[in-house]
Amino acid sequence: MSSDRLNGETSSDTRVARQRPLYTESQVIMTTVKAVIPFVLTYGLFITFHGTSSPGGGFQGGALIASVVLMIAFAFGIESTREWLSNTLVVGLATVGVAIFAGIALVPMALGENFLDYTAYYPVLGDTLGLKEYEFVKYGMEAVEIGGIAFIVSGVLMGLFFALAAGMTPPSGTGNDADAATDTGADTASESRDDVAGDDAEIDGDTTAEAGENE
């Protein structure tokens, strides 16, 4: 047991550090992740692009794509993963997804139709794009699934993972309390040592006086 624990010293930095497990390099995990990632990423893209006509969709595909980043972080370290995947990229991914979803969903309302009513685009873009009315429903759903939901889900999941991996910063008052506890513990230990030294000095004095009387 360390001396700072005996003195009751527990700083906020120490508590945060305990919440962050140290990265341990494992050749088995790194090799496995390298072999699995291409298949997971391909399957995630397949689920995303074929979600409108087969089981799957943007939510499931976005979760699989985000799991690729999570596996890389577990295998090669969270800090090294954050060096090439910044907060700006993660937040931007989710923001772009929200913008695409909101744009496709709200434009029909501006045209006098219902929310996410893809057929509202047909009178405006039907002749320009050469598409049938039912085709706007198909491509509208694909645009929402691929460009909206998949981006949102993958960005949010990666952001939550990195936020949880960073640990929790204690409130400002907690650090002051820890410092006060440290000072109190140090003062108490100092007073105890002074008392013990004073008692030892008194005992030595009494012993010397008794020895002089005996002589």
Side-chain angles (χ1 to χ4, degrees), residues 28-83:
V28 175
I29 297 177
M30 294 170 64
T31 304
T32 304
V33 168
K34 289 179 181 179
V36 170
I37 278 178
F39 298 98
V40 177
L41 181 60
T42 303
Y43 187 63
L45 294 174
F46 175 83
I47 290 294
T48 302
F49 281 92
H50 292 270
T52 57
S53 57
S54 62
F59 190 95
Q60 296 87 338
L64 287 172
I65 294 172
S67 68
V68 172
V69 177
L70 270 61
M71 286 190 292
I72 294 174
F74 282 123
F76 300 96
I78 296 174
E79 297 300 329
S80 59
T81 305
R82 292 297 298 273
E83 291 180 359

Side-chain angles (χ1 to χ4, degrees), residues 75 101 103 127 173 176:
F101 182 88
D127 296 335
N176 296 331

Side-chain angles (χ1 to χ4, degrees), residues 188-213:
T188 303
S190 177
E191 292 176 357
S192 300
R193 288 192 296 269
D194 293 340
D195 294 339
V196 171
D199 295 339
D200 292 340
E202 292 180 359
I203 292 173
D204 293 339
D206 295 340
T207 304
T208 304
E210 291 177 358
E213 292 177 357

Side-chain angles (χ1 to χ4, degrees), residues 167-178:
M168 183 186 69
T169 302
S172 58
T174 306
N176 296 331
D177 295 340

